[in-house]
Amino acid sequence: MINSPFVRKAASVQQVMLQVLLALVPGIAAYVWFFGAGILVQIALASAAAVAGEAAMLAVRGKPKALFLSDLSAIVTAWLIALTFPPIVPWWLTVTATLLAIVVVKQLYGGLGQNPFNPAMAAFCLMIVAYPALMSQWPAAGQLDFSSQLQLIFGGARQVDAISGATPLDALRTALRAAANPDSQLHGLRAAQLMDGPAYGMLGGKGGEWVALGFLLGGLWLLQRRIITWHIPGAFCLALAASAGLLWAVRPEGFASPVFHLASGGAMLGAFFILTDPVSGATTPRGKLLFAAGAGVLTFVIRAFGAYPDGVAFATLLMNLCVPLIDMNTQAPVFGHKKD
Amino acid sequence: MLRKLFKFHGGVKPQTHKTQSTTQPIARVPLPERLVIPLHQAVGGHPRPLVAPGDKVFKGQRIGGADGSLSSAVHASTSGIVRDVAPALMPHTSGLTTLSVVIEPDGEDRWGELDKVNYRTAPPDELRDFLRDAGVVGLGGAVFPSYAKLKPGKEGRLKTLVINGAECEPFITCDDLLMRERAADMLKGIVAMRHMLQAEEVLIGIEDNKPEAVAAVQAAIAASGQSGIQAVAIPTRYPAGGAKQLIRVLTGIEVPHGRRSTDFGVQCFNVGTAYSIFEALEFGRPLISRVVTVAGNVDQPRNYEVLIGTPMDHVVRQSGARPDTDRYIMGGPMMGVRLPAFDVPVVKATNCILVGSPALFPPPPPEMPCIRCGECAKACPADLAPFEMYWFSRSKNFGKAQEYHLFDCIECGCCSFVCPSHIPLVDYFRFSKSEIWARERDKSSADAARDRFEFKNFRQEREKQEKAEKLAAKAAATREKVAADSQAGTASPATEAPDTAKPAAPSAEDTKRALIAAAMEKARQQKAQIAPKNTEQLSAETQADIDAIEARRAATATPPTPDA
Ligand code: SF4
Ligand code: SF4
């Protein structure tokens, strides 16, 4: 028997996920423009793997396949994996990572809504630990045409060093470390001077900054659609910029500027699309602020002092761990119990 | 004048569907063939029947007397003959029956002798009794006896009397039409209430999608020359018509769950209630009819003045139910209850008969898992975290659900309304609440049983103790007797020095033997008593032990036991 309410808003998980996918489009367009269409191949690969993995697991778990496949949540995970991984990783790596994310991190934890960790980020972390070299090859903007990208994705032999470099984030950190070394020829140069090379654009990495801008646009649209609230992107960007800005202000020769941090790597994707994953994130308004601020600081710390090219993935997982604690301790006072 | 209004958290904006039923004035409904008037229509005690089958009743005659400290009378809605006093289906989803008076109208619709009261001079207590016997209850849907709410708080006066004309539920327009058509009389009722409550100001809150009602009430206020009464247009947002939400919007005060609003200097009544109070006080007419909206799957949605007890299908017929009608809902689509049959009677709580069809209210899409998106929390006017309560309700962890303030939930349905996973959240909360109540009931009956059991134990323990004391006394007597016997032959054993004990040994042995026999007897009796004892009754048991030991000591301490 159906009880009240007898009317409902026309909202569904599918619609939410569809809008998230749409919001990713501007960033993907910029990606294709600057770095070539290889990313589309990766997106297709990841999507196919996600659907296959999800369908298999739903079958095993005896859940309605059509219902859960059409919620599009697996596709969102797939796209995030493709967008956070280097665009020229071999096909099997993308597929393995996606299957891991869907089968282990999502479905084995209970499926939609149950996973404590962000599946895409968990897959990223697993892969960067398992294949650090492959996960660190980032072509510069315009460096590779589509056919050589295809060759790298599907071909066997890889001339790793010849075709790839580190991310601008990684490169700048290495350069800054070198600059701190009196024996280096870069010694004494500041971040702004180090960024004078062809790999850099106005704010961050060349091309990369435009992709980030695309994600920012899409994210703002999600905000406007009320799919997400301002708390997570706001607190994340602020915390990242503040912690980067603090050290940059103290020692500009040793650290990149806050703007560079915001415009580089997975910052925008993380702020609007990854940390905002409701399932693995904090839910209360205050909790969201804490959760995202923590992720912002951790991202900076890992970027500046860690050994990995970017910190968003590890920061996300670490904060995912804290979610139950954060949620429990940030419940807002209920009606009639507020202190005005 | 513009008032500062306050906001409540959350809320939703469902389609209002209100315009269709407001195009025509309130209509009368022809007398039905029979009226079924449930005796229990309001919060509180069950009124007792005052009529029997075969009795002739007049319109307005009391047929159910208020019973107990919180109860409200019930009246015949028309003149006729009582055909039955028996359980009949109530307008409630449960499909349960309730004791009802069945009246066959005689068609004359003749009023009987009505009690009157001079409400301008009568003391408030008398007015309250009068309203209780006139069966006036809250017509907003809560059907709380109005007389019980017409008491100012401890201070004897009130800051604000809030009159609820918000009517935030979609489809329902009975209050709207009542305000449009009867604002002046309603206002007289409000003035009387204000007097009883000694309220400083009166705020009539009306959602701003009812400009005609706002204008009508404002005109009535102006015409009456009353000061300190204001009709306030408030933003249209469900559930602005919830008493707590309306009080919040108009005064900024949040009345917490479980507290009386009068403690905060506020009291809230529905506009329909105000009108019934006017009818009762002015003409002595008890509450025998109310305005009911018929809307939804009908050809002509409209408001009707309906006699209490009229079968709903009789009312709906006036509006023409469409053929695909599959259900009636009492109330609106957000909080209304689906009815078990079409011919259940209109009661005092019936503000709307919402006629449903599968096309109008399609079943929700399949339920998906919660994705913790927090939409429900954003929409909750009670500032709760519905998805957390859902989680704990689902796992039947009711304690945890209560920690997340389950009982602050007003069951407004906003959370279910917005949930993208189509989870019937309110259903879970209703379920949890009823489970908790059921357990409380079980617990209190278990408590009563335990109390009985404990009393029985206590009695047994007391008897045992008395027995033990008697035994101790007896043992002491035995000892004295034995001692006296032995004393006859030897020196007093009590004064004997240890080293001189030898000569007295035989008699001491006798004493000892007698004492042992007495102690053994006592122990045997004690054992027999201890056997059925509940081991949980520790204090009583310990007490008995102490008594026994004491008795033993009393029996053994004084006699000399040189050899022992
Ligand atoms: S709205 Fe539904 S899916 Fe979203 S958090 Fe609430 S219960 Fe979960
Ligand atoms: S039904 Fe209860 S939990 Fe849901 S929105 Fe209303 S008050 Fe909040």
Side-chain angles (χ1 to χ4, degrees):
Chain A
M1 167 96 79
I2 297 142
N3 291 318
S4 62
F6 301 96
V7 285
R8 282 164 180 275
K9 199 166 147 177
S12 64
V13 177
Q14 184 191 41
Q15 264 185 17
V16 172
M17 297 297 169
L18 188 64
Q19 292 182 65
V20 172
L21 291 176
L22 279 177
L24 283 168
V25 169
I28 294 174
Y31 206 131
V32 172
W33 179 264
F34 285 99
F35 296 93
I39 184 64
L40 298 178
V41 177
Q42 299 284 15
I43 288 176
L45 278 171
S47 303
V51 170
E54 184 109 318
M57 283 309 284
L58 290 171
V60 170
R61 297 177 58 221
K63 302 269 174 186
K65 255 185 283 180
L67 180 63
F68 281 97
L69 281 176
S70 64
D71 71 26
L72 299 180
S73 61
I75 305 287
V76 171
T77 299
W79 287 27
L80 289 177
I81 286 175
L83 291 172
T84 45
F85 281 34
I88 49 168
V89 292
W91 65 271
W92 55 264
L93 195 138
T94 306
V95 169
T96 313
T98 312
L99 286 176
L100 265 177
I102 296 294
V103 174
V104 179
V105 186
K106 182 180 177 189
Q107 289 290 341
L108 285 187
Y109 273 98
L112 179 69
Q114 309 289 314
N115 45 290
F117 295 106
N118 184 308
M121 291 303 98
F124 182 95
C125 291
L126 286 169
M127 287 299 135
I128 203 162
V129 171
Y131 304 99
L134 287 175
M135 288 291 286
S136 308
Q137 298 164 14
W138 294 81
Q143 189 187 352
L144 297 168
D145 59 14
F146 186 52
S147 69
S148 39
Q149 285 184 338
L150 280 183
Q151 234 172 8
L152 284 164
I153 295 170
F154 294 106
R158 297 172 68 87
Q159 295 129 335
V160 170
D161 296 335
I163 45 91
S164 68
T167 59
L169 206 54
D170 219 2
L172 185 64
R173 178 178 52 197
T174 315
L176 282 168
R177 280 182 187 165
N181 182 351
D183 300 335
S184 165
Q185 46 175 327
L186 295 174
H187 181 63
L189 292 179
R190 302 201 159 197
Q193 295 159 308
L194 291 170
M195 277 174 63
D196 212 14
Y200 302 99
M202 287 171 296
L203 309 171
K206 185 166 174 223
E209 57 193 17
W210 289 100
V211 178
L213 201 66
F215 291 137
L216 172 66
L217 264 179
L220 291 176
W221 182 70
L222 285 183
L223 259 180
Q224 190 258 329
R225 303 283 304 163
R226 293 170 184 268
I227 301 288
I228 59 174
T229 62
W230 61 269
H231 302 81
I232 285 179
F236 175 80
C237 292
L238 207 70
L240 177 60
S243 43
L246 192 73
L247 289 186
W248 180 64
V250 176
R251 232 161 57 79
E253 70 279 11
F255 293 95
S257 75
V259 176
F260 180 80
H261 271 285
L262 286 177
S264 303
M268 284 302 125
L269 201 58
F272 289 95
F273 294 91
I274 294 169
L275 289 162
T276 49
D277 165 34
V279 174
S280 55
T283 53
T284 63
R286 272 198 307 144
K288 284 179 180 174
L289 292 178
L290 271 175
F291 168 77
V297 173
L298 282 174
T299 298
F300 170 74
V301 168
I302 296 168
R303 279 180 174 183
F305 306 106
Y308 292 110
D310 199 350
V312 174
F314 284 101
T316 306
L317 290 196
L318 284 172
M319 291 316 290
N320 283 166
L321 270 178
C322 306
V323 161
L325 204 65
I326 294 177
D327 271 358
M328 213 178 347
N329 290 298
T330 54
Q331 290 295 326
V334 307
F335 187 91
H337 297 282
K338 291 171 212 149
K339 285 167 257 151
D340 277 323
Chain B
M1 188 183 77
L2 273 182
R3 258 191 94 81
K4 173 174 162 44
L5 295 178
F6 299 83
K7 271 201 178 130
F8 62 91
H9 176 264
V12 294
K13 290 190 172 181
Q15 265 199 297
T16 58
H17 295 284
K18 286 187 189 252
T19 46
Q20 302 93 322
S21 55
T22 53
T23 53
Q24 286 174 293
I26 299 171
R28 297 219 154 255
V29 178
L31 275 178
E33 270 165 31
R34 51 177 40 205
L35 293 161
V36 180
I37 305 174
L39 288 168
H40 187 233
Q41 292 192 41
V43 172
H46 288 248
R48 53 200 188 303
L50 302 176
V51 290
D55 287 0
K56 258 188 83 70
V57 289
F58 288 107
K59 183 173 180 145
Q61 179 175 333
R62 204 150 13 116
I63 56 174
D67 199 19
S69 60
L70 184 70
S71 182
S72 181
V74 177
H75 304 78
S77 322
T78 187
S79 58
I81 293 170
V82 174
R83 284 297 174 211
D84 206 356
V85 180
L89 208 56
M90 353 185 240
H92 187 265
T93 316
S94 63
L96 293 177
T97 58
T98 183
L99 193 61
S100 308
V101 175
V102 180
I103 295 174
E104 190 182 308
D106 57 16
E108 292 173 22
D109 207 25
R110 207 149 20 90
W111 287 96
E113 190 74 29
L114 292 176
D115 293 338
K116 288 270 172 60
V117 67
N118 188 338
Y119 68 92
R120 291 181 180 86
T121 55
D125 266 344
E126 194 183 323
L127 290 182
R128 276 191 280 273
D129 285 352
F130 185 82
L131 289 175
R132 180 193 62 209
D133 293 337
V136 178
V137 298
L139 295 186
V143 286
F144 194 89
S146 299
Y147 76 91
K149 279 173 71 185
L150 281 165
K151 281 180 204 148
K154 287 168 225 123
E155 290 174 28
R157 54 204 306 284
L158 215 58
K159 171 90 174 56
T160 311
L161 169 58
V162 169
I163 301 295
N164 190 347
E167 201 164 49
C168 57
E169 270 260 19
F171 288 98
I172 309 181
T173 57
C174 58
D175 289 346
D176 185 3
L177 267 275
L178 183 116
M179 286 186 281
R180 290 191 202 188
E181 297 184 13
R182 307 175 187 174
D185 289 345
M186 174 192 86
L187 194 64
K188 284 181 199 153
I190 292 172
V191 171
M193 288 155 86
R194 179 191 193 183
H195 177 69
M196 290 175 74
L197 287 165
Q198 293 294 305
E200 211 171 287
E201 56 168 358
V202 180
L203 299 176
I204 306 170
I206 306 166
E207 274 193 348
D208 55 13
N209 61 358
K210 292 181 262 298
E212 297 90 345
V214 177
V217 175
Q218 274 169 348
I221 296 170
S224 73
Q226 292 277 344
S227 66
I229 303 184
Q230 215 184 328
V232 186
I234 60 167
T236 297
R237 190 157 55 111
Y238 177 86
K244 291 183 179 210
Q245 280 65 39
L246 185 63
I247 290 173
R248 162 83 194 160
V249 168
L250 291 174
T251 68
I253 295 167
E254 288 192 0
V255 181
H257 170 69
R259 294 284 302 275
R260 278 175 223 271
S261 62
T262 47
D263 292 348
F264 298 82
V266 201
Q267 188 62 289
C268 179
F269 290 90
N270 169 265
V271 287
T273 315
Y275 179 77
S276 332
I277 286 177
F278 160 78
E279 286 255 307
L281 296 181
E282 183 77 31
F283 306 114
R285 283 182 205 148
L287 180 55
I288 54 157
S289 71
R290 64 158 299 152
V291 185
V292 177
T293 306
V294 177
N297 196 39
V298 290
D299 293 328
Q300 181 46 257
R302 190 167 186 179
N303 283 281
Y304 300 93
E305 181 77 38
V306 184
L307 297 177
I308 304 298
T310 308
M312 288 194 183
D313 50 359
H314 180 77
V315 185
V316 170
R317 217 168 288 137
Q318 317 301 316
S319 275
R322 301 207 175 112
D324 60 337
T325 294
D326 70 339
R327 79 197 100 157
Y328 290 172
I329 292 158
M330 186 167 97
M334 293 298 290
M335 289 185 81
V337 294
R338 187 182 176 148
L339 298 173
F342 292 125
D343 61 351
V344 289
V346 166
V347 290
K348 293 176 184 179
T350 311
N351 48 6
C352 176
I353 305 170
L354 186 54
V355 181
S357 70
L360 190 57
F361 303 124
E367 189 178 332
M368 301 278 286
C370 167
I371 56 169
R372 295 165 47 87
C373 65
E375 282 301 312
C376 49
K378 270 195 259 171
C380 178
D383 306 85
L384 305 177
F387 61 94
E388 304 275 12
M389 302 195 308
Y390 155 72
W391 185 250
F392 294 121
S393 297
R394 216 180 121 103
S395 55
K396 303 216 169 106
N397 189 345
F398 299 124
K400 267 289 192 190
Q402 271 176 282
E403 265 176 47
Y404 280 88
H405 306 280
L406 175 67
F407 282 95
D408 287 51
C409 165
I410 57 170
E411 297 179 23
C412 65
C414 288
C415 49
S416 299
F417 181 80
V418 297
C419 176
S421 285
H422 313 120
I423 302 170
L425 292 157
V426 213
D427 284 356
Y428 281 98
F429 305 152
R430 291 189 193 113
F431 164 75
S432 290
K433 286 184 186 177
S434 64
E435 278 294 295
I436 292 168
W437 281 324
R439 286 180 189 194
E440 287 289 315
R441 259 198 312 278
D442 288 354
K443 193 169 154 284
S444 54
S445 56
D447 278 349
R450 201 181 51 235
D451 283 350
R452 276 198 304 279
F453 179 73
E454 270 174 11
F455 180 71
K456 194 171 131 226
N457 264 303
F458 167 74
R459 209 185 53 220
Q460 284 178 344
E461 289 300 332
R462 200 183 51 200
E463 282 165 5
K464 189 166 72 186
Q465 194 179 327
E466 282 166 6
K467 242 181 218 161
E469 274 162 14
K470 257 187 232 152
L471 263 172
K474 215 160 80 197
T478 316
R479 177 203 17 94
E480 265 161 35
K481 189 165 160 276
V482 172
D485 285 352
S486 50
Q487 215 169 14
T490 61
S492 162
T495 53
E496 252 174 352
D499 50 338
T500 59
K502 272 238 154 91
S507 63
E509 277 299 297
D510 286 347
T511 316
K512 238 157 94 183
R513 222 174 290 132
L515 282 170
I516 287 166
M520 272 169 68
E521 168 65 5
K522 190 179 70 191
R524 198 183 55 75
Q525 284 183 5
Q526 224 169 31
K527 214 168 175 182
Q529 269 182 345
I530 284 168
K533 193 165 66 182
N534 188 314
T535 46
E536 275 173 42
Q537 312 309 314
L538 276 178
S539 57
E541 193 183 358
T542 313
Q543 189 55 47
D545 278 351
I546 290 167
D547 292 340
I549 290 164
E550 227 111 73
R552 204 157 39 229
R553 225 193 260 137
T556 52
T558 28
T561 50
D563 295 342

